Amino acid sequence: MKLSRVAVRLLLAAAVLAGAVAGFSGDEPQRFAQTVEASELLAPTPTDDGEPPPYARLMLRQPDAERQAAGSPSISIDPLAYTRQAPETKLSREDGRDGPALLWSSEAGWAEWTFEAPRTGWYELHLDYKPLPGGRSSIVRGAMIDGAYPFAESRALELERQWRDAKYPYDRNEIGMQVRPPQTELNEYSVKAARDFSASPRPLLYRLEQGRHTLRLVGEREPVALRGISFKPQQAIPTYAEYVAAHPAYAPGGDPWHEVIEAEAFLRKSSLSIQTDHWAEPNISPDPKGRITYNVLGGNRWRLPGEWVEWELNAPTDGWYELDLKAFQNYRAGFKAYRMIELDGQVPFREWLRHEIGYRKEFEVAPVAGSDGQPYRIYLRKGPHALRLTADSSSLQPVVLALREALSELSAFDRHIRLLTGNYSKNASDANIDAQRTWDMGKYDPAAKNKLDAIAQRLTSIRDYLNGINGRDSDLSQAIGSSLAMLDKMRTDVNEIPSRVNDFSTIQANIGAWMTTLTEQPLLLDYLVLRTPDTDTGLKAATALSRVPYALKDFGRSFTMDYELGGKTKEGALTIWVQRGRDYVDLLREMVDQDFTPRTGIPVNINLMTSPNQLILGNAAGEVPDVALGLGEATPADYAMRDAVEDLSGYPGFGDVMKRFIPGAARALSYRGGIYGLPEVQNFQLLFYRTDILERLGLEPPDTWEDVFDLLPTLQENGMTMSVPKGDFATFFLENGAEPYASDGLRAELDSEQGQRAFRQWTEMFTKYNLPIDIPAFFQHFRDGDIPIGIADFNTYVQLLVAAPDITGHWATAPLPGIAQKNGEVVRWSPQGLSTAVILQKSERKDAAWQFLTWWTSDEVQAQYAADMESFYGLEYRWNTANVNAMRSLPWPAADLRSIREQARWTRNLPNVPGYYFLGREMEFAWNRTVFDGMPAKESLEQAQLSLQREMDRRQRDFGIGGRSLDVPQVDRPYDWGGDGS
């Protein structure tokens, strides 16, 4: 065994050396000059659709706004002097040590103030605010002037919460690995001007005519306290030359001096998502020396426009200084990353409004310099100073707007061609192209070529602008180039357009895939350096040559260092295997050491299980853990059939433990009257819908499937549709009162009357109602608005919260559409995905294992684990616990929590009986036969019934069931949440 490990390590070392040698070579990319200006992309103004214009386009029409704003007077508004409010808005007064303030303790609603503008002009809107306890997200409010949003970005103004590490330097565990601390919120007032860094690095400007006005703030997310509201003039920012001239002249010849500020030693940050990470390479600071050391900050965790981090600089004396960054910017091929740089709350000169960091394949220590390569100098007084870097994507806003419009034009042209040629899909699954037919497009649409020429010219301008601002080719530019090649073939012979109609979808998919990440600005920092000009710091980044001895040294350490995730094995300890990522396991280990072991006296060894096959092989070899966590939903019952896991129903307190979960979910963990696992995490499905689009179309979110069928014609008439996952047959079956198996678990009942009805409804969604079959990126279609409603899971919910700031406040959730009963009740039965925990049958510490599971699934432990995961890693890591009481403690928006809890009431997971794995396969085959091949639904489902029953009979013989009932639990009433309702 040791020899094989040495061989593997030698191979790895060889691979590292080969990579180092490869680093010597590399082609210099082609460089591009700026040939297209932003104004060219913004100039084509869409027809007025009643929506407020984008801020960038508004400023294009008002080139003097910034100059005029510098002369505007200040206007103060007392937040407590509001004149109107919505009924649902919860407002109250607080007289605290920070002075009187307005507490807006609800997320929703609106409040309105009346004020006088003494002079016509452009103004910044400033809010003196403090986040109130609620979730962990930023506060979002919309700002309306005189009953309307003046520009699109005013719909969702973000007021950040501020965070810092609870402890720095970080603690290390027993084997020397650093442990990331929890995050602490800085609960204090701060003043912020309304901004949107996807539109402009400067505060947004509002036009006020002289006279009386109303300001309405519209609640979108999180509660807030307001201590002040004001409209202020915009401060002029000098150019770098003016900045230098306004300070004492630089006198060379001083003593060299520099200070290194580690990126992870930040003062504060604007988002939980911004996190430290560990990195190992030569000259990284600090050197991890083979241990996990959190020595870098950001990367993909610091990417969204408006996210900022602040550090403290200390100048030893009055004078001029320069700033260096050791940065890694290799996340988006060919793209620059942008940061606005502030000193003590102000941008010192205009060039730092949007400082660019070029694409680079490795870490690089470089001064913050201009386009000519000359470092910028800053004049600092002796003492501490705050340096803040804010992600900015405003230079890409013209691309976002122009691409969105170009894709919209392309989509409209696609629909137009299909209307002319009759090239519609018969059943949402084919292209219905007659390759033998010839067309005379000049007869059907004489303007077809001109339309294509306009779209191609638009895409060409976008590509040239992108190449110009990046100075090189990029992945998006290449996607646009391949799209232009497809369009060129159609422009060459317009009569070929009907035969190439599918290319339009390909183009939209190719370019649309980049739209989600277009405005992201990832940047990884190792450290910052404050130094006197001309000081040689001696600091450097890794080189290909330096990587060779570094890799060899790490390779040598691997023979002597203990890398066991759970530390040294404790004799007689409980052994737990976890099928999750390292971050999840590290936190579990920490909580066990801090709480479970001191409370129970039971030592625990926790190991990472990278594959479920480890459990299968270990069980066969007799080397199994006592407890396994993070398993699939079907695993407990699957292992129970093989007598490999423990029946938990006989352990003390089992009944109380099961009250922590929704009974319908636990049904999947049962087998022959026993319960063989406990739920850990759930994955719900919800209905997502765009409130703004449905409101514009005069539609309400559907409550039943009949409502869905009523709204589909309106959506489809407007070039939109709905997303329903094609693989979710279980929801249709359960809502129609059908079960796939009989109550004894021995017989399949797919072809029951209810099953036939459910199968017809499921397949007709894609035949009769022509819903799209495959939607590879529902999130992006939902964001773009062409699929403004659909059914999706918890992952989509988190993605919308984290990565779709542009539609914040314009989407909502609802329970799944159901089927109305005669008594008026709407049934919404649906399964929820689970991850599970089990005790292995071969364990010799079963009582201790049960104590651990009781502790692990408890309300307080699950609530703490969920809070800490989100605190450490951001919203992307939300732990959607299956514990119903702990679930309430998560920072859900109130309206979303109501939807989640209502849908959770109707959880009914499918039981797992011998042969269960054939169910999904046979239902997919049946669906294909009916939707693709046109087989009658009844005949297709009967085939599935026969095949499933055949496999069930075979597996029952294998397991020696002999006709004995499997006692499948029956759930016929929704879960009751208790006194606080649902």
Side-chain angles (χ1 to χ4, degrees):
M1 180 64 74
K2 289 184 177 179
L3 287 175
S4 64
R5 289 178 179 173
V6 170
V8 169
R9 287 171 175 167
L10 288 172
L11 286 172
L12 290 174
V16 170
L17 292 174
V21 172
F24 283 112
S25 62
D27 297 330
E28 182 68 19
Q30 181 182 357
R31 299 296 174 181
F32 293 88
Q34 186 79 46
T35 59
V36 176
E37 297 299 322
S39 57
E40 296 181 48
L41 301 188
L42 294 171
T45 304
T47 56
D48 184 14
D49 57 1
E51 292 294 310
Y55 184 77
R57 189 159 277 140
L58 177 66
M59 289 297 102
L60 183 68
R61 300 199 297 261
Q62 302 289 342
D64 294 329
E66 188 173 312
R67 180 182 57 80
Q68 295 174 9
S72 299
S74 294
I75 305 169
S76 294
I77 301 173
D78 181 2
L80 292 164
Y82 58 90
T83 54
R84 297 175 62 204
Q85 71 178 91
E88 65 272 21
T89 312
K90 297 178 181 178
L91 303 176
S92 61
R93 178 189 178 105
E94 178 187 60
D95 291 301
R97 56 188 176 89
D98 296 316
L102 177 70
L103 299 187
W104 189 336
S105 55
S106 60
E107 290 186 316
W110 52 263
E112 196 169 271
W113 294 262
T114 302
F115 65 97
E116 293 281 340
R119 195 164 72 221
T120 297
W122 294 89
Y123 297 80
E124 295 178 356
L125 173 61
H126 289 246
L127 299 173
D128 186 356
Y129 76 97
K130 179 176 72 173
L132 294 178
R136 294 169 177 263
S137 305
S138 297
I139 296 97
V140 176
R141 292 293 183 270
M144 304 176 75
I145 303 294
D146 300 327
Y149 292 106
F151 41 85
E153 290 78 0
S154 193
R155 291 183 183 273
L157 303 175
E158 191 170 359
L159 305 173
E160 303 92 354
R161 296 179 184 271
Q162 298 184 23
W163 306 87
R164 69 180 178 200
D165 285 334
K167 185 175 184 180
Y168 184 84
Y170 296 173
D171 289 333
R172 291 185 180 271
N173 61 21
E174 69 271 21
I175 58 171
M177 307 294 187
Q178 277 193 344
V179 178
R180 192 184 283 128
Q183 307 293 283
T184 300
E185 183 175 0
L186 304 176
N187 192 19
E188 57 192 33
Y189 277 97
S190 56
V191 179
K192 182 184 178 182
R195 308 181 92 132
D196 189 321
F197 283 87
S198 65
S200 171
R202 303 220 65 185
L204 304 172
L205 294 175
Y206 289 80
R207 176 74 175 181
L208 298 176
E209 302 295 328
Q210 182 179 0
R212 180 173 291 266
H213 297 275
T214 60
L215 167 68
R216 175 180 290 187
L217 295 182
V218 182
E220 301 290 358
R221 188 172 72 198
E222 297 290 343
V224 67
L226 294 174
R227 194 171 59 175
I229 305 173
S230 58
F231 286 94
K232 293 186 176 181
Q234 188 163 87
Q235 298 297 316
I237 300 178
T239 63
Y240 178 62
E242 293 168 340
Y243 172 82
V244 171
H247 291 85
Y250 169 61
D255 294 333
W257 174 89
H258 77 275
E259 179 186 35
V260 174
I261 303 97
E262 295 292 346
E264 62 272 18
F266 59 90
L267 279 180
R268 59 185 70 204
K269 60 184 180 180
S270 64
S271 172
L272 282 171
S273 300
I274 305 171
Q275 289 290 338
T276 54
D277 206 346
H278 49 89
W279 199 273
E281 70 175 30
N283 301 311
I284 203 75
S285 177
D287 188 345
K289 298 180 180 178
R291 303 293 189 192
I292 291 177
T293 300
Y294 291 99
N295 49 12
V296 294
L297 176 81
N300 274 320
R301 292 175 173 172
W302 182 21
R303 70 185 190 280
L304 298 180
E307 291 183 337
W308 54 261
V309 185
E310 189 171 288
W311 296 267
E312 183 177 270
L313 309 178
N314 280 285
T317 184
D318 294 358
W320 288 95
Y321 297 86
E322 293 176 2
L323 187 67
D324 295 342
L325 300 178
K326 184 178 180 184
F328 176 85
Q329 207 280 93
N330 184 19
Y331 294 94
R332 300 185 306 156
F335 275 88
K336 293 176 179 176
Y338 295 89
R339 291 296 183 269
M340 185 183 77
I341 307 177
E342 294 174 279
L343 273 173
D344 300 322
Q346 301 292 328
V347 178
F349 41 85
R350 296 187 69 86
E351 286 80 354
W352 274 12
L353 277 170
R354 192 186 290 123
H355 176 68
E356 61 187 40
I357 295 123
Y359 174 75
R360 53 189 68 160
K361 293 184 178 181
E362 303 290 349
F363 266 110
E364 183 177 314
V365 183
V368 177
S371 56
D372 59 358
Q374 290 299 311
Y376 292 116
R377 292 175 179 172
I378 50 177
Y379 190 84
L380 298 178
R381 296 291 182 184
K382 178 181 178 180
H385 298 270
L387 176 77
R388 178 179 292 185
L389 269 61
T390 306
D392 174 81
S393 68
S394 55
S395 61
L396 292 167
Q397 182 73 343
V399 178
V400 173
L401 296 174
L403 266 183
R404 193 173 291 157
E405 290 158 9
L407 292 179
S408 177
E409 292 169 6
L410 195 66
S411 178
F413 186 70
D414 182 11
R415 293 193 300 271
H416 171 66
I417 293 298
R418 292 180 185 274
L419 179 64
L420 287 178
T421 62
N423 193 342
Y424 284 104
S425 166
K426 291 182 295 185
N427 56 12
S429 62
D430 59 22
N432 194 26
I433 294 175
D434 185 353
Q436 304 303 316
R437 182 171 179 177
T438 58
W439 295 89
D440 181 3
M441 289 304 296
K443 175 182 177 182
Y444 288 95
D445 184 2
K449 186 175 188 306
N450 291 337
K451 293 175 184 177
L452 277 184
D453 288 344
I455 294 172
Q457 181 56 49
R458 189 99 163 112
L459 290 176
T460 301
S461 297
I462 294 170
R463 181 189 60 185
D464 293 345
Y465 175 83
L466 267 177
N467 288 340
I469 63 172
N470 289 319
R472 59 185 294 162
D473 204 8
S474 65
D475 42 20
L476 176 55
S477 300
Q478 293 169 4
I480 294 175
S482 63
S483 300
L484 285 169
M486 295 182 194
L487 290 178
D488 286 344
K489 292 178 180 178
M490 289 186 256
R491 293 164 63 200
T492 302
D493 184 359
V494 293
N495 293 329
E496 286 294 309
I497 292 176
S499 300
R500 297 181 178 272
V501 71
N502 283 345
D503 286 353
F504 293 130
S505 299
T506 302
I507 292 170
Q508 293 176 74
N510 287 346
I511 298 177
W514 297 106
M515 291 291 288
T516 304
T517 59
L518 181 56
T519 59
E520 293 180 357
Q521 302 292 311
L523 179 69
L524 188 71
L525 290 182
D526 182 11
Y527 53 72
L528 307 88
V529 182
L530 183 67
R531 59 179 174 82
T532 52
D534 304 322
T535 293
D536 182 5
T537 64
L539 299 169
K540 53 189 177 181
T543 63
L545 279 177
S546 67
R547 292 181 189 277
V548 176
Y550 190 89
L552 290 174
K553 186 181 290 186
D554 259 2
F555 173 65
R557 288 192 186 108
S558 68
F559 291 94
T560 59
M561 293 180 64
D562 179 15
Y563 291 100
E564 184 66 39
L565 187 63
K568 296 184 182 299
T569 301
K570 304 180 180 72
E571 290 297 329
L574 191 68
T575 300
I576 298 174
W577 289 2
V578 185
Q579 191 184 336
R580 289 195 177 92
R582 180 183 295 273
D583 295 331
Y584 293 93
V585 175
D586 284 346
L587 179 58
L588 174 60
R589 176 76 208 178
E590 185 178 330
M591 290 179 63
V592 165
D593 290 344
Q594 292 174 354
D595 185 29
F596 177 73
T597 297
R599 182 185 297 189
T600 64
I602 301 173
V604 178
N605 291 321
I606 301 178
N607 296 298
L608 196 64
M609 182 170 62
T610 56
S611 167
N613 291 334
Q614 288 179 245
L615 199 60
I616 297 171
L617 296 174
N619 187 63
E623 296 181 3
V624 294
D626 301 297
V627 175
L629 305 180
L631 303 180
E633 177 183 321
T635 302
D638 206 4
Y639 277 46
M641 299 173 197
R642 295 161 175 82
D643 295 324
V645 290
E646 185 77 358
D647 180 3
L648 305 179
S649 60
Y651 282 87
F654 171 78
D656 291 333
V657 169
M658 292 307 294
K659 291 177 182 176
R660 300 169 180 173
F661 315 110
I662 295 174
R667 190 165 83 134
L669 311 177
S670 68
Y671 181 68
R672 301 188 75 168
I675 299 292
Y676 290 86
L678 296 180
E680 291 184 281
V681 178
Q682 59 190 349
N683 183 15
F684 53 74
Q685 287 200 114
L686 289 175
L687 179 73
F688 295 81
Y689 62 95
R690 288 283 299 271
T691 54
D692 53 343
I693 295 176
L694 263 62
E695 181 178 341
R696 188 168 73 241
L697 297 176
L699 300 172
E700 294 289 332
D703 189 46
T704 67
W705 287 107
E706 290 301 321
D707 296 336
V708 169
F709 304 147
D710 289 341
L711 68 77
L712 280 176
T714 302
L715 288 179
Q716 291 166 344
E717 286 168 5
N718 287 273
M720 304 174 190
T721 188
M722 178 179 178
S723 171
V724 174
K726 71 170 186 178
D728 184 20
F729 68 90
T731 295
F732 290 97
F733 267 66
L734 296 173
E735 287 187 348
N736 279 280
E739 287 278 358
Y741 313 112
S743 59
D744 60 9
L746 303 178
R747 293 173 290 107
E749 291 191 344
L750 296 180
D751 60 350
S752 65
E753 181 182 346
Q754 298 92 329
Q756 293 282 2
R757 184 168 63 245
F759 186 74
R760 282 196 303 273
Q761 183 183 0
W762 178 38
T763 53
E764 284 179 354
M765 299 298 294
F766 306 93
T767 54
K768 181 177 179 180
Y769 298 102
N770 206 38
L771 293 188
I773 289 174
D774 289 310
I775 304 175
F778 168 66
F779 163 77
Q780 188 59 45
H781 288 283
F782 186 78
R783 191 177 180 184
D784 292 341
D786 57 310
I787 304 183
I789 184 170
I791 293 171
D793 64 2
F794 173 71
N795 294 324
T796 300
Y797 178 82
V798 172
Q799 197 175 13
L800 287 169
L801 283 181
V802 172
D806 50 315
I807 58 171
T808 296
H810 303 296
W811 62 273
T813 61
L816 298 182
I819 296 178
Q821 306 300 296
K822 292 180 179 179
N823 61 2
E825 184 179 45
V826 177
V827 299
R828 312 179 195 275
W829 295 114
S830 182
Q832 289 193 359
L834 299 175
S835 74
T836 61
V838 301
I839 298 175
L840 276 297
Q841 179 66 41
K842 294 179 180 179
S843 168
E844 297 177 355
R845 305 172 187 84
K846 293 175 183 174
D847 290 338
W850 175 246
Q851 280 186 265
F852 174 81
L853 287 186
T854 302
W855 170 85
W856 171 235
T857 59
S858 65
D859 300 354
E860 62 274 13
V861 171
Q862 283 293 296
Q864 180 188 343
Y865 189 82
D868 286 350
M869 281 304 301
E870 197 163 325
S871 170
F872 292 157
Y873 307 113
L875 284 169
E876 298 97 319
Y877 281 77
R878 175 162 293 183
W879 177 261
N880 190 25
T881 177
N883 180 302
V884 294
N885 293 321
M887 187 184 79
R888 306 181 201 193
S889 70
L890 297 179
W892 305 103
D896 293 341
L897 181 59
R898 285 193 296 270
S899 299
I900 292 168
R901 296 181 73 188
E902 170 59 22
Q903 185 56 52
R905 295 178 64 228
W906 296 93
T907 298
R908 189 198 288 177
N909 284 22
L910 299 181
N912 293 300
V913 302
Y916 71 89
Y917 48 83
F918 250 51
L919 175 61
R921 191 184 86 157
E922 290 304 322
M923 292 306 296
E924 181 181 1
F925 290 168
W927 185 91
N928 289 342
R929 288 191 294 264
T930 297
V931 174
F932 291 146
D933 302 336
M935 180 181 287
K938 188 175 188 301
E939 180 183 347
S940 182
L941 193 60
E942 286 174 350
Q943 287 189 25
Q945 163 78 15
L946 290 172
S947 183
L948 175 60
Q949 187 63 59
R950 188 182 305 117
E951 181 65 15
M952 289 174 62
D953 292 342
R954 187 179 73 85
R955 299 308 286 169
Q956 289 168 25
R957 289 192 299 271
D958 291 344
F959 292 126
I961 292 175
R964 295 188 301 274
S965 174
L966 300 179
D967 299 323
V968 172
Q970 301 301 306
V971 177
D972 55 9
R973 291 303 306 158
Y975 178 72
D976 183 0
W977 283 98
D980 61 346
S982 58

